[in-house]
Amino acid sequence: MRTLWCLVSLVTIVAAQPRAELDWWQTAVFYQIYPRSFRDSDGDGIGDLKGITEKLEHLKDIGVGGVWLSPIFKSPMADFGYDISDFQNIDAMFGTMEDFDNLLEKAKEFDIKVILDFVPNHSSDEHEWFVKSAQNDVDYSDFYVWHDGKVLTNGTRVRPNNWQSVFGGPAWTFHGGRQQYYLHQFDPKQPDLNYSNPLVVEAMKDVLRFWLDKGVDGFRVDAVPHLFEGPIDVDDSVTSAPQHRPETYEMVVQWRKIMDEKSVQYGGTKVLMLEAYGSVDDIMGYYGTPSAPGGHFPFNFRLISDIDKSSSAEDFSTVINEYLEHMTDGRTANWVLGNHDKHRVASRFVPELVDGLNFLAHLLPGIGVTYNGEEIGMENTFITWEQCRDPQGINAGPEHYLEATRDLERTPFQWDSSTSAGFSSSESTWLPVNPNYVELNLEAQKAAEKSHYKVYKQLTELRKNPTIQRGGAHVAALSQNVLGFTRTLPDEDTYVVVINLGDEMEVVDVKKALSEVPDKIKIHILGINSRHMAGHTLSSSSLEIQPKEAFVFIDPGNSVSMILPSSLFVLIVQFVIRYV
């Protein structure tokens, strides 16, 4: 009987210590879809909502937990949907509200959360609000940022200040009807809303409520730092509006309250993801505080803004560790390698590093973010001046458009080797398909023995592991060009990631830099350009690694976790009661 009591007590102690559950968004892979380029269902050469719905099975297959759609709202398309003329309606180019409802329903069947793009800084100049504001309608007069301008000594009226637009050129345009300048920090057809007006604040909150009531699971918020401009009467030496102002952080806190209210109403967290570039301290402000939470997470763009193909392993290590050191007060980390505004990973670095960089994005602590096409290693597509569609590229002119355009990373998804890469039944698409689609496409990668797609699936499956979800990280440069990091958690498997960023074969001592690594490490996942095979055991003190080679190792000697699942607990108790 004493044996029975000891065994039951032991099992009870072990089983009674479950780890705290993480919320769905804290372990998810978020996948950005650029709707114009994902899948065209009707043959007009432009992607649409029905096309996205058709391909949700692919997202389920690769382990996506949440899909973020770039803007699908009614728009004149001066900036391809980021100039919105009706925040509560679907643009006919993408389909109907019924199509959107069907997408939501299908996504729910696949347990995929749907995130919309919230564009609060500006509207289209064709929005009803701006039309009325330009007419000095009493209810909308101050909905936008208007100014008389400055009068020079010779009586000439000029722009209020020397602020420049993100897209190039002055950030002020004179409106002949109202006889005032209006602010646009992006295209002239994107006038800035005036957040000093409480009516604007409430109107945009109503936009959030509308879509949350429709059933969406959250928002990616565009261009957050631009919301509040501060004083307009500044010296002409100041060429851009100040960002990351206290009022901006407070506005995010107000939006979070709405998200939390709707989370309670509908049961399940409605997530707020923020687009903001800046210093680490600037970005941390968007998390808010424990007593006044802000966004669930601001996107971490450090692997884009601070790293390039010339960066050393030490550069990578410094950037990653600096960011991780700020993950305090319950903050959840995230890792972004690309999006619709930045060149594709395979082109920004080299195609051979696609797998290794995906190891970083998905195996470091926190949330993984993928831009559509990165799971198969899509590359930038050359665009002629005549094919250029992006206003940022067009404003740069024919001599410099390739340096500025974002079209290169926005070309159609490469599904297979059929007409237009399976994106459309039409041979004419809104942007040209990359000619390499004949070899580089999803169908071919599914059939291949080794492919980026298959590696990506292994990564998202590994993300379900407790060590990857909750474990600590130790990141270090193993040499000038070899980066390594570990993921560890007591009583769970230890994982070791090693990536050669350089062009030469190296022999590195992993154990010396990462002391928790065992003498022998077993290959768990490897990049497609490796000569090894999964399951091979290698020495951690003299690891030979080829140029651009990348590995995920596992400690072959780790014991089985002492945290027992409830089903095993029941079996043990039944055994003890019956036989002891």
Side-chain angles (χ1 to χ4, degrees):
M1 192 66 184
R2 183 177 179 182
T3 303
L4 169 63
W5 171 250
C6 290
L7 283 170
V8 171
S9 297
L10 174 62
V11 172
T12 301
I13 290 170
V14 172
Q17 298 176 1
R19 295 194 176 99
E21 286 295 317
L22 295 171
D23 207 347
W24 70 266
W25 58 273
Q26 293 176 295
T27 61
V29 171
F30 286 91
Y31 185 94
Q32 181 194 356
I33 286 180
Y34 195 67
R36 296 178 69 93
S37 296
F38 196 61
R39 167 64 181 153
D40 167 24
S41 71
D42 57 11
D44 66 355
I46 300 172
D48 47 47
L49 291 174
K50 286 183 178 179
I52 295 171
T53 305
E54 287 176 8
K55 295 299 185 179
L56 285 176
E57 189 170 357
H58 166 61
L59 304 189
K60 182 67 175 178
D61 173 54
I62 61 173
V64 168
V67 57
W68 148 38
L69 307 181
S70 291
I72 54 173
F73 315 110
K74 188 174 180 182
S75 167
M77 298 295 167
D79 188 22
F80 299 109
Y82 283 94
D83 52 315
I84 298 170
S85 57
D86 187 343
F87 288 100
Q88 298 183 10
N89 213 338
I90 303 292
D91 194 279
M93 177 181 295
F94 299 120
T96 65
M97 190 65 80
E98 182 181 3
D99 294 332
F100 180 71
D101 291 338
N102 290 338
L103 188 156
L104 285 177
E105 183 178 352
K106 190 71 172 179
K108 186 173 292 186
E109 292 177 15
F110 285 122
D111 194 26
I112 295 173
K113 309 294 186 181
V114 176
I115 313 298
L116 292 185
D117 222 321
F118 178 49
V119 187
N121 179 70
H122 48 263
S123 75
S124 165
D125 65 347
E126 296 181 32
H127 195 293
E128 179 186 20
W129 298 344
F130 186 77
V131 172
K132 289 183 175 181
S133 187
Q135 295 169 347
N136 245 324
D137 183 295
V138 65
D139 294 324
Y140 294 93
S141 177
D142 293 329
F143 252 59
Y144 295 83
V145 181
W146 295 96
H147 199 281
D148 289 332
K150 294 190 300 187
V151 178
L152 302 180
T153 54
N154 64 4
T156 303
R157 183 158 47 152
V158 297
R159 296 187 299 273
N161 56 41
N162 201 33
W163 288 350
Q164 298 295 294
S165 160
V166 173
F167 288 171
W172 295 94
T173 289
F174 187 75
H175 192 282
R178 179 152 164 162
Q179 287 293 298
Q180 283 185 307
Y181 290 91
Y182 67 88
L183 178 67
H184 54 87
Q185 294 185 71
F186 294 88
D187 192 84
K189 288 187 68 63
Q190 294 170 295
D192 275 38
L193 287 159
N194 177 19
Y195 275 82
S196 298
N197 182 346
L199 296 178
V200 170
V201 171
E202 193 58 32
M204 295 307 287
K205 287 181 178 179
D206 284 343
V207 172
L208 295 176
R209 296 185 183 105
F210 174 84
W211 292 107
L212 290 168
D213 290 339
K214 288 286 292 180
V216 305
D217 299 289
F219 299 92
R220 173 266 190 185
V221 187
D222 179 68
V224 178
H226 295 273
L227 290 179
F228 288 88
E229 299 79 29
I232 290 173
D233 298 320
V234 295
D235 189 274
D236 279 349
S237 64
V238 180
T239 59
S240 61
Q243 299 183 5
H244 313 295
R245 295 182 58 82
E247 309 97 297
T248 303
Y249 293 126
E250 169 56 28
M251 191 70 258
V252 172
V253 170
Q254 292 186 42
W255 290 336
R256 174 63 180 268
K257 289 178 181 178
I258 293 174
M259 307 303 287
D260 290 346
E261 290 167 2
K262 293 299 181 179
S263 297
V264 172
Q265 181 178 349
Y266 293 110
T269 301
K270 305 297 184 182
V271 70
L272 195 63
M273 319 184 306
L274 310 173
E275 183 203 30
Y277 288 86
S279 71
V280 176
D281 289 334
D282 287 336
I283 301 308
M284 290 304 111
Y286 291 106
Y287 279 103
T289 65
S291 60
H296 289 84
F297 62 95
F299 282 124
N300 168 25
F301 295 120
R302 302 299 298 282
L303 294 179
I304 296 176
S305 60
D306 295 25
I307 293 294
D308 59 31
K309 64 175 63 179
S310 67
S311 298
S312 68
E314 186 64 40
D315 295 332
F316 273 83
S317 176
T318 298
V319 165
I320 293 168
N321 282 316
E322 182 184 16
Y323 178 74
L324 287 176
E325 287 167 4
H326 284 77
M327 291 298 102
T328 58
D329 299 325
R331 295 168 180 163
T332 299
N334 71 94
W335 308 92
V336 182
L337 282 174
N339 56 40
H340 63 295
D341 289 333
K342 302 298 178 181
H343 293 331
R344 289 192 173 276
V345 172
S347 298
R348 208 165 68 246
F349 295 90
V350 291
E352 292 80 10
L353 271 178
V354 165
D355 295 326
L357 293 173
N358 274 334
F359 290 177
L360 286 182
H362 295 295
L363 298 182
L364 285 168
I367 299 157
V369 183
T370 295
Y371 177 50
N372 58 206
E374 302 290 11
E375 73 272 30
I376 60 172
M378 281 180 59
E379 302 172 15
N380 280 5
T381 307
F382 176 76
I383 302 290
T384 67
W385 167 246
E386 291 74 23
Q387 293 168 325
C388 187
R389 298 287 179 268
D390 178 21
Q392 187 167 293
I394 292 171
N395 289 347
E399 299 298 322
H400 301 286
Y401 77 97
L402 282 175
E403 302 162 21
T405 184
R406 298 165 295 176
D407 291 330
L408 311 184
E409 57 267 17
R410 296 179 176 184
T411 54
F413 192 98
Q414 294 161 212
W415 295 101
D416 56 43
S417 60
S418 66
T419 300
S420 295
F423 161 71
S424 175
S425 59
S426 172
E427 294 184 358
S428 176
T429 55
W430 82 281
L431 281 175
V433 176
N434 193 319
N436 71 4
Y437 80 90
V438 177
E439 296 84 23
L440 199 168
N441 63 73
L442 176 63
E443 183 179 67
Q445 293 198 11
K446 285 185 173 182
E449 181 181 352
K450 297 193 297 184
S451 68
H452 297 311
Y453 156 80
K454 289 185 175 180
V455 172
Y456 187 92
K457 283 191 65 174
Q458 290 178 290
L459 290 178
T460 57
E461 182 63 28
L462 182 55
R463 285 179 58 83
K464 300 174 185 177
N465 184 279
T467 303
I468 303 303
Q469 292 190 349
R470 299 181 174 87
H474 181 184
V475 184
L478 310 183
S479 73
Q480 174 71 17
N481 290 311
V482 180
L483 179 72
F485 66 91
T486 58
R487 298 300 312 280
T488 57
L489 186 67
D491 300 322
E492 296 289 352
D493 292 324
T494 291
Y495 292 93
V496 185
V497 178
V498 183
I499 308 163
N500 186 349
L501 304 163
D503 297 322
E504 304 290 336
M505 185 276 285
E506 295 199 35
V507 178
V508 293
D509 187 342
V510 184
K511 187 174 178 61
K512 183 178 180 180
L514 302 169
S515 57
E516 62 272 29
V517 175
D519 293 331
K520 296 293 183 181
I521 46 180
K522 184 171 68 175
I523 299 174
H524 188 64
I525 304 173
L526 66 168
I528 66 171
N529 57 319
S530 175
R531 70 189 192 282
H532 289 283
M533 294 180 64
H536 283 182
T537 299
L538 304 176
S539 168
S540 65
S541 59
S542 57
L543 177 67
E544 182 180 293
I545 183 166
Q546 299 297 318
K548 307 299 188 290
E549 195 169 23
F551 298 103
V552 179
F553 296 104
I554 190 171
D555 178 355
N558 265 20
S559 59
V560 177
S561 169
M562 288 299 292
I563 303 299
L564 302 179
S566 59
S567 57
L568 181 56
F569 168 69
V570 172
L571 287 174
I572 292 175
V573 172
Q574 289 175 343
F575 175 84
V576 170
I577 292 173
R578 182 170 182 180
Y579 294 108
V580 178

